[in-house]
């Protein structure tokens, strides 16, 4: 994504827990605030971060669901909250196919994705002219050998198509959309 | 709901924090477990409980989103988790129109409803032959004078129709459905 956005003349700052231009953990709201203080005003925020546990429904604990909420929902929601005063254009969050097409062991992931998608639709009507969309990919073609068994018969999506969905969200003018690349 | 189900020859046990036949707070997983120990085996669990905060997106805090998650999502998810060994037929959870139709100040509610609906679809494929559905009403006709201003132009639903959606979930055989009464 970084390369494609740079090729399209965007000035990109990458952030992750351990790599990227800057190191922040977005599951910590204080670090999100600090990140925006450091980076200053930006046109767009594109999130591709979110960790959720995968276990059978009968084994998922309250702590597991809380981890899914903290790791993929609250983290991205606070990225928007803290970004409201630093972002002039758009927020693009990551969700996934499990919001609408469940798989075995994916209940916490489905829950998290459903939460993110509904939040995006709700936030959109309040933060205009700032925009917010979500990208909801299925399993990546490039990850099929690792995760393919969890998505039997489901058509994978090439990473390049997912990147174009981010481009569409960032450079387009739509808001409140769930893009399915 | 209680009266209609009793009229349909169901043996109903009502539970709430302060009223009902039994008093338990389902936001506490330990109380949910204790409730099932007390009641024993049941055919169906019907939940109509869930509290979420309403504020503008710019004012909703991490604690507010956490309260929405704890108050409407995790509470109902743990009702299913703990109920897996006590319920022979179905779970029916409550969600709401804000999962798909946002209103101003409803972002935390939308998030919670989206989470519940995606969880219901995911849990359904794992817990069969036990069933799980959600009821997703809009504003009640009976509450229009209190909440109507938040739902401009949206068609209200009479409580009697909402009750019939619960009946459909409990007495029907479908699973993984989001019923919109």
């Amino acid at each position: 994504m970084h390369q494609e956005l740079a090729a399209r003349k965007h000035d990109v700052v990458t952030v992750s827990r351990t790599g990227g231009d800057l190191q922040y953990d977005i599951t910590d709201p204080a670090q999100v605030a600090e990140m925006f203080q450091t980076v200053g005003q930006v046109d767009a925020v594109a999130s591709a971060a979110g960790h959720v546990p995968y276990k059978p429904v009968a084994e998922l604990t309250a702590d597991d669901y809380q981890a899914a909420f903290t790791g993929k929902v609250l983290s991205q929601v606070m990225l928007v909250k803290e970004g409201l005063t630093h972002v002039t254009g758009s927020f693009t969050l990551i969700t996934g196919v499990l919001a609408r097409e469940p798989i075995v062991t994916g209940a916490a992931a489905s829950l998290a994705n459903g939460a993110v998608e509904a939040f995006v639709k709700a936030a959109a009507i309040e933060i205009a002219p700032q925009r917010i969309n979500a990208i909801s990919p299925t399993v990546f073609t490039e990850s099929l050998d690792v995760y393919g068994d969890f998505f039997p018969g489901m058509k994978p999506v090439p990473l390049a198509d997912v990147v174009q969905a981010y481009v569409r969200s960032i450079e387009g003018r739509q808001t409140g959309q769930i893009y399915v690349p």
Side-chain angles (χ1 to χ4, degrees), chain A:
Chain A
M1 179 153 67
H2 171 199
Q3 291 87 341
E4 172 70 7
L5 289 170
R8 299 178 73 90
K9 311 297 180 195
H10 293 282
D11 190 8
V12 181
V13 179
T14 58
V15 181
S16 83
R17 262 182 295 207
T18 52
D21 301 324
L22 300 172
Q23 287 79 47
Y24 292 105
D25 180 349
I26 68 159
T27 63
D28 175 1
Q31 291 195 39
V32 172
E34 194 184 320
M35 178 190 76
F36 280 114
Q37 288 300 332
T38 302
V39 177
Q41 292 294 113
V42 296
D43 174 57
V45 169
S47 165
H51 180 72
V52 297
Y54 284 80
K55 289 181 189 175
V57 156
E59 295 173 18
L60 282 164
T61 64
D63 286 346
D64 289 325
Y65 288 106
Q66 180 66 52
F69 177 72
T70 305
K72 192 165 185 180
V73 184
L74 190 59
S75 53
Q76 296 196 97
V77 166
M78 294 314 289
L79 196 60
V80 174
K81 171 73 188 295
E82 295 294 336
L84 285 176
T85 50
H86 293 87
V87 176
T88 50
S90 66
F91 298 91
T92 308
L93 307 188
I94 184 77
T95 160
V97 64
L98 303 188
R100 55 193 179 282
E101 295 283 354
I103 62 169
V104 171
T105 73
S110 289
L111 181 156
N113 289 344
V116 171
E117 295 190 6
F119 169 77
V120 162
K121 285 183 270 187
I125 67 168
E126 291 195 45
I127 71 172
Q130 288 165 304
R131 300 181 300 104
I132 180 168
N133 299 299
I135 312 298
S136 186
T138 182
V139 63
F140 300 147
T141 305
E142 290 81 354
S143 307
L144 260 192
D145 50 351
V146 180
Y147 298 116
D149 288 351
F150 290 98
F151 297 86
M154 290 169 70
K155 196 171 179 176
V157 59
L159 266 173
D161 290 5
V162 179
V163 170
Q164 290 308 314
Y166 278 95
V167 169
R168 183 178 178 189
S169 175
I170 293 167
E171 298 186 10
R173 288 290 286 273
Q174 296 183 353
T175 191
Q177 302 301 305
I178 312 299
Y179 291 123
V180 178

